[in-house]
Amino acid sequence: MTEGRRDGEPGSGKGAESGARRRGGEPPIEALLAQGRKHGVRKQVILRQAARLFMERGYARTGMAEIGEAAGITGPAVYRHFSGKQAILSALVDLSLEQLNRDFAQVVEGSLASPAEALEAAVDCYLDFVLDHRDLAVVLDREIGKLPLEDRRRFNRSNRLLREDWVHLLAETRPELSDAAARVAVLSVMGMTVAVASHRIGMAEGPLRAQLRAQALAVLRAPVVAG
């Protein structure tokens, strides 16, 4: 799916740069390319460009030659860093999970005044990850089935733990919710956020983030439906 550059995507200017600085994550792709081979930067460039291509074209329609060209090297040179396209995808999944789980753990373990504040911080954390790293988030959502079974199991375990942290925070905030209702709310927020991030909405990053935050909190605070 190629829909042009989105606000906040890598390489799209202020949105991407401010996001990377705000989250303390990787520098913009232009800075990585400018640094050449220093300190393993080439490998980072390959990963970031592969993530962008996987999101825009899909995993199946992206070849090693295209990844190499985007990273400023030849296709065969990519094999010096990764054994194949599947290894690149596995590395992207690891990169995504590492960053998201690290950021989320800081929220869960932080000294916040109340469960309600922790829940809002969790929403902010997830929005930051998805909107500041849209390529990684979308690839994580769409292409997980292309991984070997063991990698898929590892991803599913990590994703399940993340959901459980959300559900626990929501249950602390809203003890009247059943476990099933809390899970529906959390899954709805996660799915909605990635779905929006994967499309060109025509809204600047700031208003988009604010709108998504308001809708996510509305879902988490929705009244219990009798039935």
Side-chain angles (χ1 to χ4, degrees):
M1 177 181 67
T2 304
E3 297 180 306
R5 189 74 66 184
R6 300 167 174 81
D7 293 322
E9 260 184 62
S12 64
K14 289 184 178 180
E17 185 172 357
S18 63
R21 288 174 177 171
R22 178 173 55 252
R23 299 302 304 158
E26 296 170 324
I29 191 66
E30 291 86 355
L32 290 176
L33 287 167
Q35 294 175 50
R37 299 175 181 272
K38 294 180 181 178
H39 307 300
V41 168
R42 179 65 67 195
K43 193 170 185 177
Q44 297 179 45
V45 172
I46 292 171
L47 288 172
R48 296 296 292 171
Q49 294 289 17
R52 177 179 62 81
L53 291 171
F54 290 163
M55 183 179 77
E56 292 179 351
R57 303 180 183 180
Y59 177 83
R61 293 189 296 275
T62 300
M64 294 290 274
E66 288 86 357
I67 294 171
E69 181 180 3
I73 58 178
T74 65
V78 178
Y79 289 97
R80 298 175 188 168
H81 305 276
F82 298 96
S83 61
K85 192 168 66 168
Q86 197 173 67
I88 294 176
L89 181 59
S90 293
L92 284 171
V93 170
D94 287 336
L95 179 66
S96 304
L97 292 177
E98 179 183 351
Q99 177 160 338
L100 182 56
N101 287 329
R102 181 177 62 245
D103 292 347
F104 207 87
Q106 291 175 356
V107 169
V108 174
E109 298 168 6
S111 56
L112 295 164
S114 68
E117 288 184 1
L119 186 64
E120 289 192 18
V123 169
D124 290 334
C125 173
Y126 194 69
L127 287 177
D128 282 343
F129 172 77
V130 173
L131 295 181
D132 292 343
H133 305 280
R134 295 188 187 200
D135 46 7
L136 291 179
V138 172
V139 167
L140 195 64
D141 182 67
R142 289 180 180 170
E143 307 292 0
I144 200 68
K146 309 296 194 305
L147 290 173
L149 179 59
E150 185 53 40
D151 285 347
R152 292 201 308 271
R153 286 175 174 169
R154 179 166 47 82
F155 164 77
N156 289 332
R157 284 194 299 269
S158 182
N159 204 33
R160 185 169 59 250
L161 290 174
L162 179 67
R163 290 197 308 268
E164 290 302 317
D165 285 338
W166 273 69
V167 171
H168 178 71
L169 283 175
L170 184 56
E172 285 189 320
T173 306
R174 302 190 58 197
E176 77 278 9
L177 286 181
S178 68
D179 182 71
R183 293 176 188 281
V184 167
V186 168
L187 287 169
S188 297
V189 169
M190 296 176 78
M192 171 186 71
T193 304
V194 175
V196 170
S198 68
H199 289 81
R200 185 180 179 86
I201 302 299
M203 185 182 293
E205 181 183 341
L208 176 60
R209 188 182 296 267
Q211 182 67 32
L212 270 173
R213 186 180 194 274
Q215 291 183 190
L217 292 174
V219 170
L220 297 174
R221 294 166 178 166
V224 177
V225 177

